Amino acid sequence: MTETDTAPAGTMGEVGRARRRKEDARLVTGRTQWTDNIQLPGMLHVAFLRSPLAHARITRVDVSAARGRPGVVAVFSGRDFAAEQGSLPCAWPVTEDIVIPDHPPMAVDEVRYVGEAVACVIATDRYRAADALDAIEIDYEPLDPVLDMTEALTEGSATVHEVGNRAFTWKFAQGDVEGAFRDAPVVIDRTFVQQRLIPSAMEPRAVVAQTDGDGFTLHSATQIPHILRVMLALTTGIPEHKLRVIAPDVGGGFGSKLQVTAEEVLCLLITRRLGRPVKWTESRSEGNLTVHHGRDQLQRISVAAESDGRIRGVKVDLLADMGAYLMLVTPGVPLLGAFMYGGIYKMDAYDFTCTGVFTTKMPTDAYRGAGRPEATFAIERAMDELAAELGLDPMEVRRRNWIRHAEFPYTTICGLTYDSGNYEAATDRALALFGYDELRAEQADRRNRRDPVQLGIGISTYTEMCGLAPSRVLGSLSYGAGGWEHAEVRMLPTGKVEVVTGSSPHGQGHVTAWSQIVADALGVPFEDVSVLHGDTASSHKGMDTYGSRSLSVGGIALVQACEKVREKARQVAAHMMEASPDDVEFTDGRFRVRGTTTERTIQEIALATFAAHDLPEGFEPRLDAQATFDPDNFSFPHGTHLCAVEVDTETGATTIRSYVAVDDVGKVVNPLIVEGQVHGGIAQGIAQALFEEVVYDADGNLLTTTMADYLLPSATDLPVFVTDRTETPATSNPLGVKGVGEAGTIASTPAVVNAIVDALRPYGVRDVRMPCTPERVWRALHDRAPSAEEGASV
Amino acid sequence: MIPASFDYSRPSSLEEALAVLGDAGEEAKVLAGGQSLLPLLRLRLAYPTTLIDIGRVAELRGIADHGDHVFIGAMTTHHEVVRSPVVNEHCPLVALATATVADRAVRHRGTFGGSLAHADPAGDLPSVALALDMDLVVRSSSGERVIPAADFFVDYLEPALEPGEILVGARVPKLGPGWGFHYEKFHRTAQAWATVGVAAAVRRSNGTVAEARIALTNMGPTPIRAVAVEAAVRGAAADRNGALREAAEQAAEGTDPPGDLHARPDYRAHLSRVLTHRALLAACAV
């Protein structure tokens, strides 16, 4: 429990206070500006016709009938844009020989997944636009779909693109892997399926494009207004300085809005063609089809260990489903996991191979955690399997392998330097809160009684790399941009503060956290700080929000900008008080000449700087500053999550009985926001373990187009989370902070699945594929594969 | 999620509603709480020419005690049913099952009659209507007729309503003392439809089951009475010593369970047996 709006005992600062979010009163009372709320004079509405086939050649397009429908202003097919639409960008060519197929925003000759845009209607209202889609005639010549990654790589398989289905193979190796596995007393070899997921943001995607005949403005429900501007300029040929991108209020993203979408490009092209503003808002079903999907990997992991459980080495061989095209960071996502398969453990050898595979499905890309949840799942599941193989307690196996607190900073086998961590402390706290020994006793009792409801205990001792990212590291991984972040701090004449951040929030609470940081750094009231973001006209520079980077990168830029403002103010204060700047101290917003009572408030200095009547010689009359921070290292939050499940062996149903999360995210700026991130993160990780799965049928049709088919858990389906924190400050940044946006999602999935497998181990069950639905658990228990008549693989 | 165009009418009396419905032709649809129909419209799975919104027809709303039965008006919301002392006292199975319908928001909008008239075999109330042998009262401009629940659910989403007819409510028999009830619902999330559900009413006498009425949710194109179980359980010991489990083994007989993303047919058949056993135990309060 976090007590709100009260200062922790013994501190005076804003940082660390559980401030209620400044944003929320406006958000919960509907005084928001979502992209879909925007109404412009003369605005038209766009509806897209989408491919009903997974793979086909387009042989005929006739839009003439649709043009005659009521309210229709224009109808275009891919052929109308072929000369100007360019190719949607992939900014992460992970290898030199990677295949990056041309990706037209609107299909011209061939469609490669169900849902790919093939035509569009622009009409006076949304309903008429949707109605007229029925009148567009398109003939297709069906081609073979490509749906299974393993099959896709076999000789003679149908191909998504002429060049074949292999996009790239990326390798990384360290140490003597062969030696580690040769004669190893224990080898655990498992294959895990990371099912495909849909990042379901509360707000659907929406785009409004307009032009004044000279420049263009694009409103989009995006996480990345700055990156989007650059990429759209490159894609459409609209000069960057003639394109303004605005992310107004944005209702969640989870990575799905870290994208340059076909609809964004096409809305710009349509408005350029017609000279009128246009709006497109997706429906939920359209979103399920065409929001980029997440995960979808086939993971083979092998762990070689000594007979006492100490790990010798780990081998990982991944197939990663790219879908039909490579989008903004599609190929890089599995590689963000490449460095995390070692988890928190020490070993001498590591070998990683990832092959990206094309299929005729919606492209995959970043989804909360992006690569790290997959890696963490595999190593944490493998640790439980290793413990079972050796007859050891799964926590004991982890203890024998993890990096001890005294060993930090520690360079892992994957080449990362973990700056800080205290796995012992987080684990001890979690075990105590959980009642680990009591639950093990109850488990033994239920096993003895053959209780139809079995108890299982799952562990996840995770870490992750976030705070993306040091630019030099991104460069070494062939990423197309840097990982810095920008901030500007402006003291206004009346002493209020305006902050401009390049980190574009979509639900994270930046305005509150940034206000707390500025309040402490400049000694101004929390209420006196406002934060501007998400508009490339007012926030000219930024790398946006993803990868748990806002605080540990953008927050540091903010601190540095505040320091610059403070030093300028010190110059003015010293001048006003006729003292040397070296003799002027700054405390709680006041500059005081050391050893005297002479002082000036920062607000007085702001006004004096504005008036500029009497400033130090050569001093520019401005009390503002910018800073761009490029981190030296990632941040490495960690923690111990423990999950107890009850599995009903008669129905296969899993109920989470208790869930304890002890996370170490370093210094905390706002405990309430951190707790919100942890809760939401755990929920999303549990959702992968138990509920969510994208299903395509044998023809490549998406079956999970609605929320009746694609199950999202609600609060009713989730347990009360017991959360706590240990605090081991990061040494890699001056605030001591680490990212928290993805940690819960990364940690929770393996904790839940480990618990289910733990419950069922006496029945001979060694794995249950995610999501662990009641039916899958039941079949695992009864070794009951469905017959051909009953359907494909479970 | 954008419905095609339709005409809309909001009558304020049943008489007016029936007149509009009579004039509107076969492609008209009656809109009750909208919790099932609106999604179908938005997905363009239904294209009615006219929507007749009976939300303002006050006479269709309410619950009345008629001595040997309780009458529940078609436009009574699920929330009102769950909160009704009359329903809870005299037909608790209706209250138990209704409380499991989706979530609070849906229960405040969705209606008792709408749920029956939609005739979705995955809905909770059709099987309850069947188990309790409700009489469904329908009205058209030419008068009223009463359809026993056993004849009402013709096929998937197909009630025995003729064009021009509106369901006005149901007569729910009071089963009297000695009866126990349970609705056992298995679903993947709180808001999801029943994967399988079992509505059970059991009369006990001297520690044995004297009579049982059991109906299954989502085990075929319509709700289905588990007649084999009803026969097998008669005279069984109402305890946990195995007789109820044995009777419940007959649950899937005569069913035609659907296969979908949440459950394949054989798993549904298995669930029907497990859940019927549990429903019998709970209805027997043992």
Side-chain angles (χ1 to χ4, degrees), chain A residues 88 158 197 287 308 402 406 441 597 792:
Chain A
L88 291 175
L197 300 173
D308 64 1
W402 72 40
T597 55

Side-chain angles (χ1 to χ4, degrees), chain B:
Chain B
M1 296 290 187
I2 301 160
S5 69
F6 51 81
D7 292 329
Y8 175 79
S9 164
R10 191 168 63 192
S12 52
S13 70
L14 181 57
E15 191 182 355
E16 189 190 343
L18 290 170
V20 175
L21 183 61
D23 294 343
E26 292 207 5
E27 298 306 312
K29 282 292 267 183
V30 175
L31 175 68
Q35 300 305 291
S36 301
L37 182 54
L38 290 188
L40 293 178
L41 294 179
R42 293 168 70 88
L43 290 165
R44 296 198 172 207
L45 293 173
Y47 290 84
T49 50
T50 305
L51 272 193
I52 301 162
D53 180 351
I54 55 172
R56 298 274 170 99
V57 179
E59 66 213 82
L60 293 180
R61 197 159 177 162
I63 294 161
D65 188 337
H66 287 285
D68 64 337
H69 71 271
V70 173
F71 184 82
I72 303 177
M75 288 303 291
T76 312
T77 65
H78 297 310
H79 174 76
E80 289 161 349
V81 168
V82 172
R83 295 282 290 269
S84 160
V86 173
V87 171
N88 278 282
E89 185 181 348
H90 298 296
C91 25
L93 184 58
V94 175
L96 288 170
T98 305
T100 72
V101 172
D103 56 32
R104 263 171 209 278
V106 169
R107 291 195 294 272
H108 272 85
R109 298 287 304 177
T111 63
F112 176 77
S115 179
L116 293 172
H118 188 54
D120 186 341
D124 301 297
L125 293 178
S127 60
V128 171
L130 197 59
L132 294 179
D133 288 326
M134 290 185 197
D135 281 326
L136 306 184
V137 181
V138 305
R139 192 86 63 83
S140 69
S141 47
S142 56
E144 183 174 293
R145 68 183 178 119
V146 174
I147 308 172
D151 299 330
F152 187 78
F153 303 103
V154 178
D155 204 342
Y156 181 72
L157 303 186
E158 192 185 329
L161 287 168
E162 299 295 333
E165 284 184 332
I166 290 176
L167 177 69
V168 297
R171 296 175 190 154
V172 188
K174 293 183 183 175
L175 287 181
W179 285 85
F181 304 94
H182 189 68
Y183 187 66
E184 183 75 20
K185 180 174 181 174
F186 188 88
H187 48 166
R188 287 192 52 202
T189 62
Q191 293 172 28
W193 276 280
T195 307
V196 175
V198 180
V202 176
R203 182 165 63 83
R204 276 191 304 164
S205 176
N206 298 326
T208 62
V209 174
E211 186 182 356
R213 301 178 183 188
I214 298 156
L216 305 173
T217 301
N218 214 5
M219 285 293 289
T222 63
I224 295 171
R225 277 290 275 267
V227 287
V229 179
E230 291 178 356
V233 81
R234 202 168 296 131
D239 57 29
R240 290 180 169 264
N241 292 334
L244 297 180
R245 183 186 289 274
E246 198 178 319
E249 286 300 309
Q250 317 279 327
E253 255 184 50
T255 65
D256 181 16
D260 57 32
L261 292 177
H262 305 311
R264 290 185 182 72
D266 64 331
Y267 175 60
R268 275 205 165 85
H270 167 76
L271 279 180
S272 73
R273 294 186 278 267
V274 174
L275 302 178
T276 297
H277 178 224
R278 291 179 183 182
L280 286 171
L281 288 173
C284 290
V286 294

Side-chain angles (χ1 to χ4, degrees), chain A residues 27 36 46 176 189 284 294 307 368 384 441 447 536 548 595 636 698 765 777:
Chain A
L27 289 170
D36 189 50
V46 182
D176 177 11
D189 189 350
R284 182 63 64 178
S307 49
R368 200 170 190 174
D384 262 37
R447 284 178 180 179
T536 58
S548 304
F636 299 99
V765 174
V777 169

Side-chain angles (χ1 to χ4, degrees), chain A residues 126-127 130-131 283 285 648 650-651 690-691 704 708 711 714 716-717 773-775 778-779 784 790 792-794, chain B residues 1-5 43-44 186 188-193 245 261-267 270-271 274-275 278:
Chain A
R126 201 181 174 196
Y127 295 86
D131 286 345
S283 72
S285 293
D648 182 335
E650 290 183 341
T651 63
L690 296 180
F691 299 107
T704 46
L711 291 189
S714 66
T716 322
D717 304 300
T773 63
E775 181 174 352
W778 176 71
R779 287 191 196 281
R784 180 69 187 72
E790 286 156 359
S793 69
V794 175
Chain B
M1 296 290 187
I2 301 160
S5 69
L43 290 165
R44 296 198 172 207
F186 188 88
R188 287 192 52 202
T189 62
Q191 293 172 28
W193 276 280
R245 183 186 289 274
L261 292 177
H262 305 311
R264 290 185 182 72
D266 64 331
Y267 175 60
H270 167 76
L271 279 180
V274 174
L275 302 178
R278 291 179 183 182

Side-chain angles (χ1 to χ4, degrees), chain A residues 547-558:
Chain A
S548 304
R549 68 190 306 273
S550 293
L551 182 58
S552 63
V553 186
I556 308 307
L558 179 62

